[in-house]
């Protein structure tokens, strides 16, 4: 077992453990913090896949912006007086568990028709070139989606401000 | 080196955990977090396949998924805070005003 494999297994264990804790933990702040651990683990896996750019973007966007927004939202929606108690799950939790088990079986069934699982990843040419290729294709082939994404972001942020604006009555 | 199957397996399990979280929890914010986990698992498999086939298109998809996720979280959390102000709870079982 090479160092890469050990590193991958550690990162995967961290991601899955943190994800389970996000779903199960009763304290919402803890859930948000475990979400950060899971997202960081995914960033480590991106590094192992030689996608350094996305590892950085993952840390900056997901951890730096999205997870912090989550923590803010958790703190803004805390019920005063510690009414966080009581069941956090639906009463029909076993239906949910059954459904997600079915989903897992479905995914495994679809994937089982594919033969290439043992394929080793090919050697990479030049990572620096990859990033510049990415940048070039964003402003040539994918120019329209790129611009639309920026319009979407502006619209979403204006919408968020409008929605959460406290109207003075 | 790690074979591609490991990455796909990690992504599949992560997606299932996220789906379980969406179905099982009553707090809307945790449901959002689980949606983020599912988006991350999709991103993971995009990057893995783009690495396998030496294709950049998969990574472009990840770029746009991240953009949409950021927009979604901004609007979604604003909605959560507004709903909390109106109903003093973000339990999805209690968001039943539209029910006839």
């Amino acid at each position: 077992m090479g160092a890469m494999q050990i590193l991958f297994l550690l990162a995967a264990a961290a991601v899955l453990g943190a994800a389970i804790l996000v779903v199960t933990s009763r304290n919402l702040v803890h859930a948000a913090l475990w979400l950060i651990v899971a997202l960081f683990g995914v960033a480590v896996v991106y590094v192992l896949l030689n996608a350094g750019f996305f590892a950085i973007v993952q840390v900056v966007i997901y951890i730096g912006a999205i997870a912090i927004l989550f923590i803010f939202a958790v703190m803004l929606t805390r019920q005063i007086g510690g009414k966080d108690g009581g069941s956090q799950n639906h009463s029909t939790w076993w239906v949910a568990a059954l459904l997600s088990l079915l989903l897992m079986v479905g995914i495994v069934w679809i994937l089982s028709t594919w033969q290439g699982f043992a394929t080793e990843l090919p050697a990479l040419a030049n990572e620096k070139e990859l990033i510049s290729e990415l940048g070039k294709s964003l402003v040539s082939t994918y120019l329209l989606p790129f611009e639309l994404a920026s319009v979407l972001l502006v619209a979403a942020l204006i919408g968020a401000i409008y929605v959460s604006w406290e109207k003075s009555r | 080196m790690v074979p591609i199957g490991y990455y796909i397996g990690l992504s599949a399990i992560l997606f299932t955990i996220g789906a379980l979280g969406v179905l099982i929890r009553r707090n809307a914010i945790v449901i959002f977090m689980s949606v983020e986990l599912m988006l991350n698992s999709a991103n993971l498999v995009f990057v893995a396949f783009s690495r396998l086939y030496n294709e950049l298109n998969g990574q472009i998809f990840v770029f746009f998924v991240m953009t949409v996720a950021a927009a979604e979280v901004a609007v979604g959390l604003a909605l959560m805070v507004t709903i909390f102000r109106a109903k003093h709870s973000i339990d999805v079982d209690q968001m039943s005003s539209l029910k006839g």
Side-chain angles (χ1 to χ4, degrees), chain A residues 23 54 58 88 104 117 122, chain B residues 5 16 25 40 43 51 59:
Chain A
V23 171
F54 283 103
Q58 175 91 1
Q88 296 265 337
M104 185 77 210
F117 281 108
Chain B
T16 311
R25 293 297 295 251
N40 261 280
N43 281 351
R51 174 81 175 71
Q59 300 205 354

Side-chain angles (χ1 to χ4, degrees), chain B residues 30-47:
Chain B
V30 182
I31 291 178
F32 256 106
M33 290 182 195
S34 308
V35 170
E36 291 309 311
L37 288 179
M38 289 201 279
L39 285 172
N40 261 280
S41 78
N43 281 351
L44 197 63
V45 91
F46 265 130
V47 172

Side-chain angles (χ1 to χ4, degrees), chain A residues 41-153:
Chain A
V42 173
V44 172
V45 177
Y46 285 161
V47 171
L48 293 179
L49 282 165
N50 297 78
F53 173 68
F54 283 103
I56 301 291
V57 170
Q58 175 91 1
V59 171
V60 171
I61 305 282
Y62 266 106
I63 299 177
I66 292 182
I68 300 300
L69 262 183
F70 269 118
I71 292 176
F72 267 109
V74 167
M75 290 177 173
L76 281 173
T77 58
R78 258 322 191 32
Q79 267 141 1
I80 303 144
K83 232 195 88 196
D84 279 356
S87 177
Q88 296 265 337
N89 297 337
H90 286 290
S91 47
T92 53
W93 59 270
W94 55 275
V95 178
L98 200 72
L99 273 177
S100 46
L101 193 71
L102 266 178
L103 178 70
M104 185 77 210
V105 171
I107 293 174
V108 170
W109 186 61
I110 290 168
L111 286 176
S112 63
T113 56
W114 194 54
Q115 302 294 327
F117 281 108
T119 318
E120 300 275 325
L121 298 175
L124 198 66
N126 188 357
E127 197 177 339
K128 232 183 198 167
E129 205 129 287
L130 215 70
I131 293 175
S132 72
E133 283 295 311
L134 188 74
K136 272 179 207 154
S137 65
L138 269 181
V139 289
S140 57
T141 322
Y142 295 95
L143 182 61
L144 184 65
F146 184 69
E147 296 296 337
L148 279 179
S150 52
V151 173
L152 173 74
L153 270 179

Side-chain angles (χ1 to χ4, degrees), chain B residues 77-98:
Chain B
L77 292 180
L79 279 173
M80 290 304 130
V81 172
T82 312
I83 290 171
F84 181 77
R85 257 193 227 131
K87 299 180 84 94
H88 300 286
S89 162
I90 45 167
D91 191 330
V92 285
D93 282 352
Q94 290 177 21
M95 295 181 197
S96 52
S97 314
L98 287 179

